[in-house]
Amino acid sequence: MPVRHHLDMRDERVVAFFRERHLATLTTLRADGTPHVVPVGVTLDAHAGVARVITSAASRKARHVAAAGPQGAPVALCHVDGRRWLTIEGRAVVRADAAAVAEAERRYAERYRTPRPNPQRVVLEIAVTRLLGSL
């Protein structure tokens, strides 16, 4: 019998995993189609089906996502913790409005720590299309 790695965002194992402090890698695509992979903090709003990453507007990850336009960019976020792993796939857009940034900062502070001030902060908001893992 094949192992199934598809997870539901509301699965208690997923919720518990996101209560823990784990960094992830975010993969975006450069204009030439090659992957750009960087470490990030990520939060998950399982009710809304949205993952969020805070960053500076001038970061490469934000520029890659912005370049995709309003339809968003395909991205993947991957956590690894020993034998446990969780990957979020979805489409990301850049949000710069104050309310979106404040909400993302609040969620980031709950999972990690209060983020340092950054007047250039934006949010990569990822509409989750698939959740894979072994928890």
Side-chain angles (χ1 to χ4, degrees):
M1 180 175 195
V3 177
R4 303 240 182 246
H5 291 290
H6 290 272
L7 296 171
D8 185 290
M9 278 184 275
R10 296 180 187 179
D11 182 315
E12 182 52 39
R13 296 170 300 164
V14 173
V15 172
F17 189 83
F18 273 90
R19 283 190 206 113
E20 301 169 10
R21 186 185 187 280
H22 298 285
L23 293 177
T25 57
L26 171 67
T27 302
T28 59
L29 299 176
R30 298 179 180 101
D32 67 3
T34 60
H36 175 255
V37 183
V38 294
V40 296
V42 58
T43 62
L44 179 66
D45 179 347
H47 180 71
V50 172
R52 293 178 179 88
V53 173
I54 58 175
T55 189
S56 291
S59 70
R60 290 198 187 273
K61 57 189 165 284
R63 291 183 295 168
H64 292 157
V65 170
Q71 76 278 7
V75 301
L77 290 150
C78 186
H79 294 82
V80 177
D81 180 38
R83 295 177 59 109
R84 298 186 310 158
W85 62 274
L86 187 141
T87 298
I88 296 169
E89 297 177 0
R91 293 198 78 80
V93 295
V94 177
R95 302 271 186 239
D97 62 281
V101 171
E103 177 65 9
E105 289 174 333
R106 181 188 69 76
R107 290 175 179 275
Y108 183 93
E110 286 177 1
R111 188 171 190 202
Y112 301 102
R113 60 175 170 69
T114 301
R116 62 177 168 63
N118 179 354
Q120 302 304 311
R121 181 165 288 132
V122 295
V123 180
L124 303 184
E125 195 171 272
I126 298 105
V128 179
T129 56
R130 185 176 299 142
L131 198 63
L132 303 167
S134 180
L135 302 174

